[in-house]
Amino acid sequence: MRKTASRSWSVLFQKYRYLVLVSYRRASTYRGAYLLSLLGNIVRMVAFLALWSATISTGADRNGFSRQSLLTYVLLAFALDGLLSFRTESTIANSVRTGDVVSDLLKPLDHQAMHFADALGMVLVEGLWLMIITAVLGFLWIDMIYPTDAATIAAFLFSVCLALIIKFDLAYLTGVAAFWLTDVRGLIVTRSTLAGILGGAYFPLEFLPDTVRRVLDLLPFAGTTAVPARIFTGQIAGSAIGLALARQLLWAVAMWLAARFVWKKALRKVTIHGG
Amino acid sequence: MSLILAEDLTKVYHVRGKPQPNQGVWKGIRIFSRRPKQTILAVNHISFQIEQGEMVGFLGPNGAGKSTVVKIMSGVLVPTSGKVEVNGLIPHQNRIDHAMNIGVVFGQRTTLWWDLPLRDSFELLRVIYEIGQEDYRKSLDWLADMLELGDLLDRPVRQLSLGQRMRAELAAALLHRPAVLFLDEPTIGLDVAIKQRIRNSLRELNHKWGVTLLLTTHDIRDIEEVCGNLIVIDKGQLVYDGSLASFRDTYCDKRVIRVALKDEPTAGELTQDTLPNVIQAERNGPWVTLYYRQSKTTAANIAGYVMAHYPVTDLAVEEPSIENTVADLYRGKLL
């Protein structure tokens, strides 16, 4: 009698939801370690904000930003950049390097979905803390602006979800590159820096020449940070929101499929290390 | 139909070799030299069949290709050519469904979650493998009892000793009651008592659940105590496939008898003497080791002859050692 894995969406949903939960619990176990790394982030965040608020004059209108909306953008972009950090790619890359990827492959789970569930569990922990820190800095220091109507808030949250998918797939692709590269540390740093700059995590893309900005808006990176941050600050409003979300959704689907394709390719040539 | 089927199974690895030496300073720097591509034939046209409920030992020297075969069988590696079928499925083409029906233990890796208590790891496996609550409880009770896991269930996996972890791994691989169990060096690094525990459990498992077992090991006793059949591979090629009994008869034909004589000169005389059916004699002090073929004569015949003609003070008949035979086989003495 042969068993087959269930194809029912509800069973699959349950399985992966459980994985998210377990990952959340595992991540919370190392609260101390995480808080320490968060402390470093807070210091950078404060330094960044201080720099920006010192260099821009009150009331000046810079590339469509008021002082308030610019500081809000910087703060929010920083928080979004902190979500879904290095863990996905280093976990996958390490599992390939040591050969432990075998353990992943022995389970009746989709490799990509399994690691996505793992990343989401971590995001729940990171997200909670980042939200608290952003709110504290935002309200006590820079007098942050925020959306008040339900539609914009919903659009922002949806945009964050899409951003997580795109970010995850970028990270997943970087991790899977370990099948070809053995040591991907350089690639991980390059990936995160490039995605940060091109995605508008370090400064608003509006500060770049118009043509450059328009090209960047078409790339997937903008969907990781700039789009949700712009929706939050009101740079994208009204009917433009629909278009921005559609573009982001398209990238989320395309990146998911691309990552899948590369993983399948990697499996065919896989050399499992360590005998 | 056989439960496990391999036909002309072949796996070729492509690796980049080292840069050629002595090509000057610039060539020595990696980015300036293209390292030649090398192909390694890890599994070379292997064919075998395993029936339902069989327990097969998979033997071969380091690097013979055992692990590669196990990985192909478990759907982790894609073979370069040839056919493989387990339980009616082609493993690498139906990896997820296939995984529902097999259990795999790698002695050198962990499939458990390092930072979760064992009980939570098992609970997670219950969800992943879609095991019903009732079945889960029954399997867990039985496995925890057989593998003596009772006290360990609430400890995180990272705190378990190697022996405890291996028993936990075995239980984890069996919770979903797989039809086939692949074990890759499950007793590596374990003490005698735990090895014994694991071997007993494997036998019980086969008896109770009818699990088909493929076990690679370097410990011949694993095979002697658990497996009825034996597959030996070397350099990616099949060297032997058959029952353990016929392996013993075929390859362990050369037996040994040791006799101690009253002094060394007499021992020397015995070494020089031509004894009936003795193919070789070696002296070490007063002890003489006599080799003979089991198929030609018996230990009693030789002992009787020697005792009738020489002053023997002590005598020992040695058990045929599969270990020595396998070592000979690896060194290519037998084939």
Side-chain angles (χ1 to χ4, degrees), chain B residues 9-267:
Chain B
L9 201 59
T10 301
K11 177 73 189 178
V12 178
Y13 289 118
H14 296 279
V15 291
R16 289 236 173 256
K18 288 211 168 72
Q20 303 291 315
N22 306 323
Q23 287 192 336
V25 179
W26 296 109
K27 292 274 180 178
I29 298 171
R30 251 170 63 176
I31 54 169
F32 292 108
S33 63
R34 275 192 67 76
R35 289 168 295 155
K37 215 173 194 181
Q38 286 182 337
T39 53
I40 295 169
L41 196 55
V43 179
N44 188 359
H45 297 279
I46 284 183
S47 303
F48 60 85
Q49 293 179 16
I50 296 172
E51 304 301 324
Q52 165 104 45
E54 254 190 87
M55 299 207 275
V56 178
F58 205 38
L59 215 58
N62 287 323
K66 302 184 300 287
S67 290
T68 303
V69 172
V70 171
K71 279 169 192 150
I72 292 173
M73 295 273 155
S74 43
V76 170
L77 278 181
V78 183
T80 309
S81 67
K83 189 176 152 191
V84 57
E85 223 176 270
V86 179
N87 213 1
L89 288 177
I90 297 172
H92 57 276
Q93 286 177 6
N94 307 275
R95 182 179 67 81
I96 292 179
D97 279 337
H98 181 59
M100 296 288 284
N101 295 284
I102 59 166
V104 186
V105 175
F106 286 107
Q108 319 215 47
R109 300 189 189 290
T110 178
T111 47
L112 297 163
W113 287 262
W114 204 240
D115 38 18
L116 287 183
L118 198 49
R119 195 187 293 281
D120 294 11
S121 273
F122 287 167
E123 187 64 25
L124 183 49
L125 290 171
R126 181 185 71 74
V127 177
I128 291 175
Y129 284 94
E130 302 166 22
I131 310 168
Q133 287 285 1
E134 183 64 11
D135 287 345
Y136 172 73
R137 202 185 45 75
K138 268 194 222 156
S139 303
L140 182 58
D141 283 353
W142 189 67
L143 289 168
D145 185 49
M146 178 177 75
L147 294 161
E148 294 166 9
L149 295 174
D151 305 334
L152 309 176
L153 285 174
D154 294 308
R155 304 244 303 265
V157 173
R158 61 169 184 274
Q159 288 178 9
L160 301 182
S161 73
L162 182 62
Q164 293 169 333
R165 215 197 71 217
M166 278 319 296
R167 285 182 285 146
E169 295 277 351
L170 199 55
L174 289 163
L175 275 175
H176 57 294
R177 303 214 177 190
V180 189
L181 185 61
F182 295 113
L183 302 165
D184 196 8
E185 301 187 26
T187 56
I188 194 162
L190 301 181
D191 71 43
V192 188
I194 291 173
K195 277 184 180 178
Q196 205 57 50
R197 177 79 267 171
I198 285 183
R199 287 170 193 149
N200 290 341
S201 304
L202 292 177
R203 274 201 304 266
E204 207 178 324
L205 203 71
N206 177 265
H207 186 69
K208 200 174 167 190
W209 285 357
V211 177
T212 307
L213 200 102
L214 183 68
L215 174 134
T216 85
T217 185
H218 288 296
D219 187 337
I220 312 291
R221 297 203 53 143
D222 286 347
I223 290 180
E224 285 180 307
E225 289 183 28
V226 177
C227 303
N229 295 311
L230 188 64
I231 291 174
V232 184
I233 64 171
D234 190 11
K235 298 188 188 78
Q237 283 177 309
L238 197 74
V239 176
Y240 178 83
D241 177 11
S243 75
L244 191 63
S246 87
F247 180 83
R248 223 188 288 253
D249 289 347
T250 318
Y251 295 115
C252 308
D253 191 30
K254 200 161 119 180
R255 304 277 168 114
V256 161
I257 184 168
R258 287 179 205 280
V259 288
L261 299 162
K262 72 172 178 20
D263 52 35
E264 294 195 16
T266 339

